[in-house]
Amino acid sequence: MTTLLYGRPPAVFDPPGEATQVSPLIPGSTPLEDVAEGSADGAMIYAPPGVLERRYALALALRALKVGGRLDVMAPKDKGGSRLKKELQAFGVEVGESAKAHHRRCVVIRPEMMTGIDEAIEAGAPRLVEGLEAWSQPGVFAWDRIDAGSLLLARTVPALKGAGADLGCGYGALATVVLGSPVVTALRLIDLDRRAIEAARKNVDDPRVSFEWADVRTLEAVGDLDFIVTNPPFHDGGAEDKRLGQAFIRQAAAMLGKGGVLWLVANRHLPYEADLNAAFKRVRMAADAGGYKLFEAVK
Ligand SMILES: C[S@@+](CC[C@H](N)C(=O)[O-])C[C@H]1O[C@@H](n2cnc3c(N)ncnc32)[C@H](O)[C@@H]1O
């Protein structure tokens, strides 16, 4: 019995215990793209909020199911849930819909014939984004543009030196800027999102770089880095969560050696000053523009 599980649905949906995790946001999980067509008996998908990435995940899950296999999908009503039924019907399948705990839930038994599967997979697939000239994929943070906060960091940061890391590197927007300094000896690109790391691998071709699909909060910290750049995440499962950025600050301090420097950009309203001051010896605001603030913090 092969059951697939995408993400972490709330317990009220009774997620399967013995299942193959396929979410790109859970390090170590199996890519849904790699699951053989028609091989799974069932799939539970905690559907992601972006339209293209959601339709992509639903199409991949339907493709992975055996004929007669059961697809069980749920999403918060205001984060795609109210569109689920129509999106699934567009694949030519019959959909049973119910509401529970502010979510919509749809159940589909995979028929023999479906429509629009390949198109949805193509629309959500990795690609070289025109204008950005970088590989990316719907679902990756700011997937088809350069984030304004990252741009502020890129424009302000001086030439760095030694060994460093980009915590939450996305598709690698900051790496090129950091690697422009010839005295940077090593750069670790770390992100929770497999799609971001796969894109970064294609975008950043430099022997000084290594790639890690990992949760920054649980990395082993040796305290040996000279610099860290980060535009930390501030959403967890769609809701704003300042604790993520605060955890990134504590982890950056643990990963840096004495005298090491953190460059952190954040939306102005996020309260990071107290955490920076608690973890670092010297903190200054290096820029404040366009709704973002950029800090330099020395350990
Ligand atoms: C604000 S974005 C910045 C992305 C990239 N630096 C850029 O400028 O486009 C934050 C990144 O952190 C990643 N992320 C979120 N939670 C994480 C975690 N716990 N560990 C590692 N990366 C995480 C997200 O996938 C996202 O790519």
Side-chain angles (χ1 to χ4, degrees), residues 96-276:
E97 191 190 35
S98 58
K100 192 174 190 178
H102 308 292
H103 286 65
R104 289 280 160 79
R105 181 182 207 169
C106 291
V107 173
V108 171
I109 302 301
R110 199 214 129 144
E112 189 119 28
M113 297 292 290
M114 298 188 288
T115 53
I117 296 288
D118 291 344
E119 290 80 353
I121 292 174
E122 198 183 319
R127 77 209 52 186
L128 187 59
V129 179
E130 223 177 291
L132 194 61
E133 305 322 327
W135 281 87
S136 189
Q137 184 175 2
V140 169
F141 171 79
W143 76 277
D144 58 354
R145 61 189 168 89
I146 296 197
D147 173 65
S150 298
L151 199 58
L152 179 65
L153 196 157
R155 286 188 172 147
T156 317
V157 73
L160 297 166
K161 63 170 184 244
D166 179 349
L167 305 185
C169 63
Y171 61 79
L174 295 173
T176 327
V177 178
V178 172
L179 294 166
S181 166
V183 285
V184 165
T185 54
L187 180 65
R188 291 169 63 183
L189 296 185
I190 306 163
D191 205 285
L192 188 68
D193 190 336
R194 174 179 50 76
R195 301 163 298 188
I197 290 295
E198 281 174 3
R201 275 185 204 280
K202 292 191 187 137
N203 293 327
V204 190
D205 181 13
D206 189 303
R208 294 172 289 173
V209 175
S210 59
F211 303 89
E212 295 165 57
W213 178 25
D215 188 331
V216 158
R217 295 168 295 182
T218 54
L219 283 177
E220 195 192 336
V222 185
D224 59 350
L225 295 182
D226 302 301
F227 69 86
I228 285 176
V229 293
T230 186
N231 177 356
F234 54 95
H235 284 100
D236 200 5
E240 185 170 300
D241 189 350
K242 59 180 193 286
R243 286 172 306 182
L244 262 174
Q246 291 166 338
F248 269 50
I249 290 169
R250 286 192 297 276
Q251 180 66 295
M255 292 170 79
L256 286 167
K258 193 160 179 280
V261 59
L262 166 68
W263 287 89
L264 175 139
V265 71
N267 285 49
R268 310 205 66 256
H269 73 277
L270 290 165
Y272 292 150
E273 284 82 351
D275 301 87
L276 285 166

Side-chain angles (χ1 to χ4, degrees), residues 16-37:
E18 292 283 306
T20 304
Q21 179 57 250
V22 290
S23 164
L25 298 180
I26 299 182
S29 64
T30 300
L32 189 47
E33 294 82 349
D34 292 356
V35 179
E37 224 167 290

